[in-house]
PDB file of all heavy atoms in Angstrom:
ATOM      1  N   PRO A  30       0.365  12.034 -17.186  1.00  0.00           N
ATOM      2  CA  PRO A  30       1.150  12.148 -18.378  1.00  0.00           C
ATOM      3  C   PRO A  30       0.757  11.218 -19.483  1.00  0.00           C
ATOM      4  O   PRO A  30       0.352   9.992 -19.190  1.00  0.00           O
ATOM      5  CB  PRO A  30       2.549  11.927 -17.877  1.00  0.00           C
ATOM      6  CG  PRO A  30       2.388  10.942 -16.738  1.00  0.00           C
ATOM      7  CD  PRO A  30       1.144  11.462 -16.065  1.00  0.00           C
ATOM      8  N   GLU A  34       5.391  11.630 -23.274  1.00  0.00           N
ATOM      9  CA  GLU A  34       5.965  12.558 -22.305  1.00  0.00           C
ATOM     10  C   GLU A  34       6.457  11.751 -21.090  1.00  0.00           C
ATOM     11  O   GLU A  34       7.532  12.023 -20.572  1.00  0.00           O
ATOM     12  CB  GLU A  34       4.911  13.593 -21.756  1.00  0.00           C
ATOM     13  CG  GLU A  34       4.579  14.652 -22.770  1.00  0.00           C
ATOM     14  CD  GLU A  34       3.594  14.169 -23.786  1.00  0.00           C
ATOM     15  OE1 GLU A  34       2.829  13.188 -23.498  1.00  0.00           O
ATOM     16  OE2 GLU A  34       3.423  14.824 -24.876  1.00  0.00           O
ATOM     17  N   ALA A  35       5.737  10.749 -20.599  1.00  0.00           N
ATOM     18  CA  ALA A  35       6.208   9.901 -19.495  1.00  0.00           C
ATOM     19  C   ALA A  35       7.482   9.179 -19.899  1.00  0.00           C
ATOM     20  O   ALA A  35       8.434   9.109 -19.074  1.00  0.00           O
ATOM     21  CB  ALA A  35       5.153   8.934 -19.148  1.00  0.00           C
ATOM     22  N   LEU A  37       9.758  10.018 -22.322  1.00  0.00           N
ATOM     23  CA  LEU A  37      10.880  10.895 -22.677  1.00  0.00           C
ATOM     24  C   LEU A  37      11.421  11.637 -21.480  1.00  0.00           C
ATOM     25  O   LEU A  37      12.646  11.870 -21.341  1.00  0.00           O
ATOM     26  CB  LEU A  37      10.412  11.910 -23.696  1.00  0.00           C
ATOM     27  CG  LEU A  37      10.288  11.412 -25.128  1.00  0.00           C
ATOM     28  CD1 LEU A  37       9.700  12.544 -25.983  1.00  0.00           C
ATOM     29  CD2 LEU A  37      11.598  10.891 -25.666  1.00  0.00           C
ATOM     30  N   PHE A  38      10.565  11.960 -20.507  1.00  0.00           N
ATOM     31  CA  PHE A  38      10.959  12.816 -19.426  1.00  0.00           C
ATOM     32  C   PHE A  38      11.068  12.049 -18.073  1.00  0.00           C
ATOM     33  O   PHE A  38      11.358  12.679 -17.006  1.00  0.00           O
ATOM     34  CB  PHE A  38      10.138  14.072 -19.262  1.00  0.00           C
ATOM     35  CG  PHE A  38      10.115  14.928 -20.539  1.00  0.00           C
ATOM     36  CD1 PHE A  38       8.906  15.026 -21.265  1.00  0.00           C
ATOM     37  CD2 PHE A  38      11.247  15.483 -20.981  1.00  0.00           C
ATOM     38  CE1 PHE A  38       8.939  15.777 -22.429  1.00  0.00           C
ATOM     39  CE2 PHE A  38      11.231  16.246 -22.118  1.00  0.00           C
ATOM     40  CZ  PHE A  38      10.047  16.349 -22.851  1.00  0.00           C
ATOM     41  N   GLY A  39      10.789  10.735 -17.983  1.00  0.00           N
ATOM     42  CA  GLY A  39      10.787   9.992 -16.807  1.00  0.00           C
ATOM     43  C   GLY A  39       9.720  10.438 -15.724  1.00  0.00           C
ATOM     44  O   GLY A  39      10.061  10.636 -14.622  1.00  0.00           O
ATOM     45  N   LEU A  40       8.529  10.584 -16.262  1.00  0.00           N
ATOM     46  CA  LEU A  40       7.450  11.121 -15.384  1.00  0.00           C
ATOM     47  C   LEU A  40       6.754   9.968 -14.652  1.00  0.00           C
ATOM     48  O   LEU A  40       6.611   8.850 -15.232  1.00  0.00           O
ATOM     49  CB  LEU A  40       6.386  11.936 -16.196  1.00  0.00           C
ATOM     50  CG  LEU A  40       6.915  13.072 -17.025  1.00  0.00           C
ATOM     51  CD1 LEU A  40       5.776  13.663 -17.835  1.00  0.00           C
ATOM     52  CD2 LEU A  40       7.651  14.008 -16.210  1.00  0.00           C
ATOM     53  N   CYS A  41       6.302  10.245 -13.391  1.00  0.00           N
ATOM     54  CA  CYS A  41       5.548   9.302 -12.646  1.00  0.00           C
ATOM     55  C   CYS A  41       4.207   9.055 -13.388  1.00  0.00           C
ATOM     56  O   CYS A  41       3.577   9.969 -13.860  1.00  0.00           O
ATOM     57  CB  CYS A  41       5.244   9.742 -11.248  1.00  0.00           C
ATOM     58  SG  CYS A  41       4.089   8.781 -10.354  1.00  0.00           S
ATOM     59  N   PRO A  42       3.815   7.750 -13.629  1.00  0.00           N
ATOM     60  CA  PRO A  42       2.581   7.498 -14.336  1.00  0.00           C
ATOM     61  C   PRO A  42       1.330   7.922 -13.632  1.00  0.00           C
ATOM     62  O   PRO A  42       0.298   8.034 -14.233  1.00  0.00           O
ATOM     63  CB  PRO A  42       2.615   5.959 -14.573  1.00  0.00           C
ATOM     64  CG  PRO A  42       3.553   5.400 -13.581  1.00  0.00           C
ATOM     65  CD  PRO A  42       4.545   6.561 -13.223  1.00  0.00           C
ATOM     66  N   ARG A  43       1.364   8.089 -12.302  1.00  0.00           N
ATOM     67  CA  ARG A  43       0.234   8.487 -11.550  1.00  0.00           C
ATOM     68  C   ARG A  43       0.066  10.027 -11.444  1.00  0.00           C
ATOM     69  O   ARG A  43      -0.989  10.538 -11.759  1.00  0.00           O
ATOM     70  CB  ARG A  43       0.235   7.902 -10.120  1.00  0.00           C
ATOM     71  CG  ARG A  43      -0.974   8.232  -9.319  1.00  0.00           C
ATOM     72  CD  ARG A  43      -0.844   7.840  -7.891  1.00  0.00           C
ATOM     73  NE  ARG A  43      -1.010   6.452  -7.669  1.00  0.00           N
ATOM     74  CZ  ARG A  43      -0.616   5.859  -6.575  1.00  0.00           C
ATOM     75  NH1 ARG A  43      -0.138   6.531  -5.547  1.00  0.00           N
ATOM     76  NH2 ARG A  43      -0.694   4.547  -6.404  1.00  0.00           N
ATOM     77  N   CYS A  44       1.101  10.720 -11.079  1.00  0.00           N
ATOM     78  CA  CYS A  44       0.944  12.163 -10.867  1.00  0.00           C
ATOM     79  C   CYS A  44       1.673  13.035 -11.924  1.00  0.00           C
ATOM     80  O   CYS A  44       1.428  14.190 -11.933  1.00  0.00           O
ATOM     81  CB  CYS A  44       1.520  12.499  -9.468  1.00  0.00           C
ATOM     82  SG  CYS A  44       3.259  12.323  -9.222  1.00  0.00           S
ATOM     83  N   GLY A  45       2.592  12.491 -12.701  1.00  0.00           N
ATOM     84  CA  GLY A  45       3.177  13.262 -13.748  1.00  0.00           C
ATOM     85  C   GLY A  45       4.443  14.044 -13.292  1.00  0.00           C
ATOM     86  O   GLY A  45       5.025  14.792 -14.101  1.00  0.00           O
ATOM     87  N   GLU A  46       4.919  13.822 -12.067  1.00  0.00           N
ATOM     88  CA  GLU A  46       6.142  14.494 -11.607  1.00  0.00           C
ATOM     89  C   GLU A  46       7.417  13.820 -12.156  1.00  0.00           C
ATOM     90  O   GLU A  46       7.343  12.586 -12.393  1.00  0.00           O
ATOM     91  CB  GLU A  46       6.194  14.570 -10.067  1.00  0.00           C
ATOM     92  CG  GLU A  46       5.113  15.398  -9.448  1.00  0.00           C
ATOM     93  CD  GLU A  46       5.215  16.876  -9.847  1.00  0.00           C
ATOM     94  OE1 GLU A  46       6.373  17.344  -9.867  1.00  0.00           O
ATOM     95  OE2 GLU A  46       4.202  17.497 -10.058  1.00  0.00           O
ATOM     96  N   ARG A  47       8.532  14.424 -12.273  1.00  0.00           N
ATOM     97  CA  ARG A  47       9.734  13.905 -12.790  1.00  0.00           C
ATOM     98  C   ARG A  47      10.458  13.209 -11.660  1.00  0.00           C
ATOM     99  O   ARG A  47      11.520  13.556 -11.200  1.00  0.00           O
ATOM    100  CB  ARG A  47      10.688  14.977 -13.371  1.00  0.00           C
ATOM    101  CG  ARG A  47      10.189  15.449 -14.588  1.00  0.00           C
ATOM    102  CD  ARG A  47      11.191  16.389 -15.216  1.00  0.00           C
ATOM    103  NE  ARG A  47      10.693  16.832 -16.509  1.00  0.00           N
ATOM    104  CZ  ARG A  47      11.416  17.391 -17.422  1.00  0.00           C
ATOM    105  NH1 ARG A  47      12.748  17.492 -17.290  1.00  0.00           N
ATOM    106  NH2 ARG A  47      10.907  17.749 -18.532  1.00  0.00           N
ATOM    107  N   THR A  48       9.881  12.063 -11.155  1.00  0.00           N
ATOM    108  CA  THR A  48      10.440  11.378 -10.024  1.00  0.00           C
ATOM    109  C   THR A  48      10.731   9.924 -10.334  1.00  0.00           C
ATOM    110  O   THR A  48      11.009   9.117  -9.401  1.00  0.00           O
ATOM    111  CB  THR A  48       9.441  11.380  -8.788  1.00  0.00           C
ATOM    112  OG1 THR A  48       8.215  10.791  -9.229  1.00  0.00           O
ATOM    113  CG2 THR A  48       9.204  12.824  -8.361  1.00  0.00           C
ATOM    114  N   LEU A  49      10.635   9.485 -11.576  1.00  0.00           N
ATOM    115  CA  LEU A  49      10.826   8.046 -11.891  1.00  0.00           C
ATOM    116  C   LEU A  49      12.209   7.556 -11.630  1.00  0.00           C
ATOM    117  O   LEU A  49      12.394   6.414 -11.300  1.00  0.00           O
ATOM    118  CB  LEU A  49      10.322   7.879 -13.342  1.00  0.00           C
ATOM    119  CG  LEU A  49      10.172   6.393 -13.827  1.00  0.00           C
ATOM    120  CD1 LEU A  49       9.156   5.654 -12.906  1.00  0.00           C
ATOM    121  CD2 LEU A  49       9.661   6.414 -15.268  1.00  0.00           C
ATOM    122  N   PHE A  50      13.260   8.323 -11.946  1.00  0.00           N
ATOM    123  CA  PHE A  50      14.581   7.838 -11.902  1.00  0.00           C
ATOM    124  C   PHE A  50      15.409   8.435 -10.776  1.00  0.00           C
ATOM    125  O   PHE A  50      15.309   9.608 -10.482  1.00  0.00           O
ATOM    126  CB  PHE A  50      15.340   8.170 -13.203  1.00  0.00           C
ATOM    127  CG  PHE A  50      14.800   7.393 -14.397  1.00  0.00           C
ATOM    128  CD1 PHE A  50      13.957   7.948 -15.256  1.00  0.00           C
ATOM    129  CD2 PHE A  50      15.198   6.068 -14.563  1.00  0.00           C
ATOM    130  CE1 PHE A  50      13.445   7.232 -16.320  1.00  0.00           C
ATOM    131  CE2 PHE A  50      14.727   5.369 -15.682  1.00  0.00           C
ATOM    132  CZ  PHE A  50      13.800   5.859 -16.546  1.00  0.00           C
ATOM    133  N   ALA A  51      16.192   7.583 -10.095  1.00  0.00           N
ATOM    134  CA  ALA A  51      17.071   8.004  -9.049  1.00  0.00           C
ATOM    135  C   ALA A  51      18.518   8.401  -9.667  1.00  0.00           C
ATOM    136  O   ALA A  51      19.149   9.223  -9.164  1.00  0.00           O
ATOM    137  CB  ALA A  51      17.244   6.991  -7.958  1.00  0.00           C
ATOM    138  N   GLY A  52      18.808   7.686 -10.715  1.00  0.00           N
ATOM    139  CA  GLY A  52      20.064   7.812 -11.434  1.00  0.00           C
ATOM    140  C   GLY A  52      19.754   7.938 -12.877  1.00  0.00           C
ATOM    141  O   GLY A  52      18.678   8.168 -13.263  1.00  0.00           O
ATOM    142  N   TRP A  53      20.823   7.667 -13.703  1.00  0.00           N
ATOM    143  CA  TRP A  53      20.536   7.892 -15.131  1.00  0.00           C
ATOM    144  C   TRP A  53      19.571   6.774 -15.653  1.00  0.00           C
ATOM    145  O   TRP A  53      18.650   7.076 -16.379  1.00  0.00           O
ATOM    146  CB  TRP A  53      21.868   7.841 -15.954  1.00  0.00           C
ATOM    147  CG  TRP A  53      21.645   7.945 -17.377  1.00  0.00           C
ATOM    148  CD1 TRP A  53      21.779   6.919 -18.337  1.00  0.00           C
ATOM    149  CD2 TRP A  53      21.118   9.091 -18.107  1.00  0.00           C
ATOM    150  NE1 TRP A  53      21.460   7.439 -19.589  1.00  0.00           N
ATOM    151  CE2 TRP A  53      21.015   8.791 -19.451  1.00  0.00           C
ATOM    152  CE3 TRP A  53      20.763  10.338 -17.690  1.00  0.00           C
ATOM    153  CZ2 TRP A  53      20.599   9.570 -20.473  1.00  0.00           C
ATOM    154  CZ3 TRP A  53      20.348  11.239 -18.691  1.00  0.00           C
ATOM    155  CH2 TRP A  53      20.264  10.869 -20.044  1.00  0.00           C
ATOM    156  N   SER A  55      18.481   4.060 -13.314  1.00  0.00           N
ATOM    157  CA  SER A  55      17.970   3.298 -12.197  1.00  0.00           C
ATOM    158  C   SER A  55      16.774   3.964 -11.679  1.00  0.00           C
ATOM    159  O   SER A  55      16.734   5.197 -11.487  1.00  0.00           O
ATOM    160  CB  SER A  55      19.025   3.149 -11.077  1.00  0.00           C
ATOM    161  OG  SER A  55      19.447   4.427 -10.564  1.00  0.00           O
ATOM    162  N   PHE A  56      15.693   3.178 -11.385  1.00  0.00           N
ATOM    163  CA  PHE A  56      14.444   3.762 -10.888  1.00  0.00           C
ATOM    164  C   PHE A  56      14.628   4.111  -9.425  1.00  0.00           C
ATOM    165  O   PHE A  56      15.380   3.521  -8.648  1.00  0.00           O
ATOM    166  CB  PHE A  56      13.368   2.653 -10.915  1.00  0.00           C
ATOM    167  CG  PHE A  56      12.786   2.362 -12.354  1.00  0.00           C
ATOM    168  CD1 PHE A  56      12.823   1.085 -12.774  1.00  0.00           C
ATOM    169  CD2 PHE A  56      12.318   3.388 -13.136  1.00  0.00           C
ATOM    170  CE1 PHE A  56      12.392   0.782 -14.090  1.00  0.00           C
ATOM    171  CE2 PHE A  56      11.868   3.099 -14.361  1.00  0.00           C
ATOM    172  CZ  PHE A  56      11.880   1.837 -14.845  1.00  0.00           C
ATOM    173  N   ALA A  57      13.886   5.142  -9.062  1.00  0.00           N
ATOM    174  CA  ALA A  57      13.724   5.414  -7.652  1.00  0.00           C
ATOM    175  C   ALA A  57      12.891   4.382  -6.996  1.00  0.00           C
ATOM    176  O   ALA A  57      12.163   3.663  -7.695  1.00  0.00           O
ATOM    177  CB  ALA A  57      13.040   6.818  -7.509  1.00  0.00           C
ATOM    178  N   ASP A  58      12.922   4.309  -5.682  1.00  0.00           N
ATOM    179  CA  ASP A  58      12.003   3.295  -5.002  1.00  0.00           C
ATOM    180  C   ASP A  58      10.549   3.696  -5.027  1.00  0.00           C
ATOM    181  O   ASP A  58       9.690   2.788  -5.143  1.00  0.00           O
ATOM    182  CB  ASP A  58      12.463   3.158  -3.556  1.00  0.00           C
ATOM    183  CG  ASP A  58      13.845   2.496  -3.415  1.00  0.00           C
ATOM    184  OD1 ASP A  58      14.195   1.668  -4.335  1.00  0.00           O
ATOM    185  OD2 ASP A  58      14.497   2.686  -2.441  1.00  0.00           O
ATOM    186  N   GLN A  59      10.318   4.949  -4.876  1.00  0.00           N
ATOM    187  CA  GLN A  59       8.914   5.425  -5.003  1.00  0.00           C
ATOM    188  C   GLN A  59       8.822   6.876  -5.388  1.00  0.00           C
ATOM    189  O   GLN A  59       9.801   7.580  -5.346  1.00  0.00           O
ATOM    190  CB  GLN A  59       8.209   5.215  -3.657  1.00  0.00           C
ATOM    191  CG  GLN A  59       8.659   6.121  -2.589  1.00  0.00           C
ATOM    192  CD  GLN A  59       7.877   5.969  -1.278  1.00  0.00           C
ATOM    193  OE1 GLN A  59       7.186   4.911  -1.113  1.00  0.00           O
ATOM    194  NE2 GLN A  59       7.935   6.835  -0.395  1.00  0.00           N
ATOM    195  N   CYS A  60       7.713   7.306  -5.808  1.00  0.00           N
ATOM    196  CA  CYS A  60       7.516   8.695  -6.180  1.00  0.00           C
ATOM    197  C   CYS A  60       7.509   9.585  -4.902  1.00  0.00           C
ATOM    198  O   CYS A  60       6.783   9.298  -4.006  1.00  0.00           O
ATOM    199  CB  CYS A  60       6.198   8.845  -6.915  1.00  0.00           C
ATOM    200  SG  CYS A  60       5.800  10.563  -7.438  1.00  0.00           S
ATOM    201  N   SER A  61       8.280  10.611  -4.966  1.00  0.00           N
ATOM    202  CA  SER A  61       8.340  11.504  -3.733  1.00  0.00           C
ATOM    203  C   SER A  61       7.120  12.390  -3.663  1.00  0.00           C
ATOM    204  O   SER A  61       6.909  12.962  -2.643  1.00  0.00           O
ATOM    205  CB  SER A  61       9.642  12.341  -3.769  1.00  0.00           C
ATOM    206  OG  SER A  61       9.648  13.110  -4.988  1.00  0.00           O
ATOM    207  N   SER A  62       6.412  12.487  -4.759  1.00  0.00           N
ATOM    208  CA  SER A  62       5.212  13.339  -4.762  1.00  0.00           C
ATOM    209  C   SER A  62       3.927  12.583  -4.335  1.00  0.00           C
ATOM    210  O   SER A  62       3.204  13.000  -3.454  1.00  0.00           O
ATOM    211  CB  SER A  62       5.028  13.928  -6.160  1.00  0.00           C
ATOM    212  OG  SER A  62       3.901  14.736  -6.168  1.00  0.00           O
ATOM    213  N   CYS A  63       3.634  11.435  -4.976  1.00  0.00           N
ATOM    214  CA  CYS A  63       2.369  10.689  -4.725  1.00  0.00           C
ATOM    215  C   CYS A  63       2.607   9.299  -4.023  1.00  0.00           C
ATOM    216  O   CYS A  63       1.605   8.636  -3.753  1.00  0.00           O
ATOM    217  CB  CYS A  63       1.580  10.485  -6.009  1.00  0.00           C
ATOM    218  SG  CYS A  63       2.348   9.290  -7.171  1.00  0.00           S
ATOM    219  N   SER A  64       3.817   9.014  -3.752  1.00  0.00           N
ATOM    220  CA  SER A  64       4.241   7.694  -3.056  1.00  0.00           C
ATOM    221  C   SER A  64       3.886   6.431  -3.838  1.00  0.00           C
ATOM    222  O   SER A  64       3.747   5.437  -3.225  1.00  0.00           O
ATOM    223  CB  SER A  64       3.582   7.689  -1.725  1.00  0.00           C
ATOM    224  OG  SER A  64       4.041   8.735  -0.936  1.00  0.00           O
ATOM    225  N   LEU A  65       3.872   6.503  -5.160  1.00  0.00           N
ATOM    226  CA  LEU A  65       3.604   5.340  -5.994  1.00  0.00           C
ATOM    227  C   LEU A  65       4.919   4.433  -5.805  1.00  0.00           C
ATOM    228  O   LEU A  65       6.022   4.911  -6.025  1.00  0.00           O
ATOM    229  CB  LEU A  65       3.462   5.643  -7.408  1.00  0.00           C
ATOM    230  CG  LEU A  65       3.324   4.499  -8.412  1.00  0.00           C
ATOM    231  CD1 LEU A  65       2.052   3.594  -8.048  1.00  0.00           C
ATOM    232  CD2 LEU A  65       3.195   4.984  -9.885  1.00  0.00           C
ATOM    233  N   ASP A  66       4.717   3.175  -5.475  1.00  0.00           N
ATOM    234  CA  ASP A  66       5.834   2.296  -5.264  1.00  0.00           C
ATOM    235  C   ASP A  66       6.290   1.741  -6.571  1.00  0.00           C
ATOM    236  O   ASP A  66       5.663   0.830  -7.183  1.00  0.00           O
ATOM    237  CB  ASP A  66       5.365   1.144  -4.269  1.00  0.00           C
ATOM    238  CG  ASP A  66       6.543   0.237  -3.950  1.00  0.00           C
ATOM    239  OD1 ASP A  66       7.650   0.518  -4.202  1.00  0.00           O
ATOM    240  OD2 ASP A  66       6.147  -0.830  -3.311  1.00  0.00           O
ATOM    241  N   TYR A  67       7.463   2.155  -7.110  1.00  0.00           N
ATOM    242  CA  TYR A  67       8.026   1.711  -8.287  1.00  0.00           C
ATOM    243  C   TYR A  67       8.667   0.322  -8.237  1.00  0.00           C
ATOM    244  O   TYR A  67       8.847  -0.385  -9.217  1.00  0.00           O
ATOM    245  CB  TYR A  67       9.095   2.650  -8.841  1.00  0.00           C
ATOM    246  CG  TYR A  67       8.646   4.057  -9.123  1.00  0.00           C
ATOM    247  CD1 TYR A  67       9.425   5.134  -8.747  1.00  0.00           C
ATOM    248  CD2 TYR A  67       7.410   4.321  -9.701  1.00  0.00           C
ATOM    249  CE1 TYR A  67       9.060   6.383  -9.049  1.00  0.00           C
ATOM    250  CE2 TYR A  67       7.013   5.580  -9.936  1.00  0.00           C
ATOM    251  CZ  TYR A  67       7.800   6.670  -9.664  1.00  0.00           C
ATOM    252  OH  TYR A  67       7.366   7.915  -9.936  1.00  0.00           O
ATOM    253  N   THR A  68       8.971  -0.186  -7.012  1.00  0.00           N
ATOM    254  CA  THR A  68       9.611  -1.455  -6.886  1.00  0.00           C
ATOM    255  C   THR A  68       8.558  -2.529  -7.164  1.00  0.00           C
ATOM    256  O   THR A  68       8.992  -3.723  -7.399  1.00  0.00           O
ATOM    257  CB  THR A  68      10.093  -1.743  -5.394  1.00  0.00           C
ATOM    258  OG1 THR A  68       9.076  -1.568  -4.511  1.00  0.00           O
ATOM    259  CG2 THR A  68      11.165  -0.641  -5.204  1.00  0.00           C
ATOM    260  N   ARG A 123      16.877   4.401 -21.053  1.00  0.00           N
ATOM    261  CA  ARG A 123      16.076   5.231 -20.086  1.00  0.00           C
ATOM    262  C   ARG A 123      14.652   5.414 -20.582  1.00  0.00           C
ATOM    263  O   ARG A 123      13.698   5.265 -19.838  1.00  0.00           O
ATOM    264  CB  ARG A 123      16.750   6.580 -19.960  1.00  0.00           C
ATOM    265  CG  ARG A 123      16.129   7.515 -18.955  1.00  0.00           C
ATOM    266  CD  ARG A 123      16.991   8.790 -18.777  1.00  0.00           C
ATOM    267  NE  ARG A 123      16.255   9.783 -18.068  1.00  0.00           N
ATOM    268  CZ  ARG A 123      16.387  10.003 -16.777  1.00  0.00           C
ATOM    269  NH1 ARG A 123      17.089   9.215 -16.059  1.00  0.00           N
ATOM    270  NH2 ARG A 123      15.693  11.006 -16.211  1.00  0.00           N
ATOM    271  N   ALA A 127      11.269   3.672 -18.891  1.00  0.00           N
ATOM    272  CA  ALA A 127      10.137   4.509 -18.516  1.00  0.00           C
ATOM    273  C   ALA A 127       8.813   4.124 -19.210  1.00  0.00           C
ATOM    274  O   ALA A 127       7.819   4.117 -18.614  1.00  0.00           O
ATOM    275  CB  ALA A 127      10.506   6.031 -18.753  1.00  0.00           C
ATOM    276  N   LEU A 130       7.400   0.845 -17.814  1.00  0.00           N
ATOM    277  CA  LEU A 130       6.819   1.054 -16.433  1.00  0.00           C
ATOM    278  C   LEU A 130       5.446   1.748 -16.604  1.00  0.00           C
ATOM    279  O   LEU A 130       4.541   1.388 -15.917  1.00  0.00           O
ATOM    280  CB  LEU A 130       7.745   1.821 -15.516  1.00  0.00           C
ATOM    281  CG  LEU A 130       7.271   1.854 -14.095  1.00  0.00           C
ATOM    282  CD1 LEU A 130       8.405   1.525 -13.127  1.00  0.00           C
ATOM    283  CD2 LEU A 130       6.564   3.154 -13.716  1.00  0.00           C
TER     284      LEU A 130
END
Side-chain angles (χ1 to χ4, degrees):
E34 288 81 18
L37 287 175
F38 302 116
L40 305 179
C41 173
R43 183 188 286 165
C44 67
E46 294 294 321
R47 289 186 180 202
T48 60
L49 192 57
F50 292 101
W53 179 251
S55 61
F56 286 125
D58 290 333
Q59 71 177 15
C60 177
S61 59
S62 181
C63 70
S64 300
L65 176 63
D66 184 11
Y67 298 140
T68 61
R123 182 176 170 94
L130 190 135

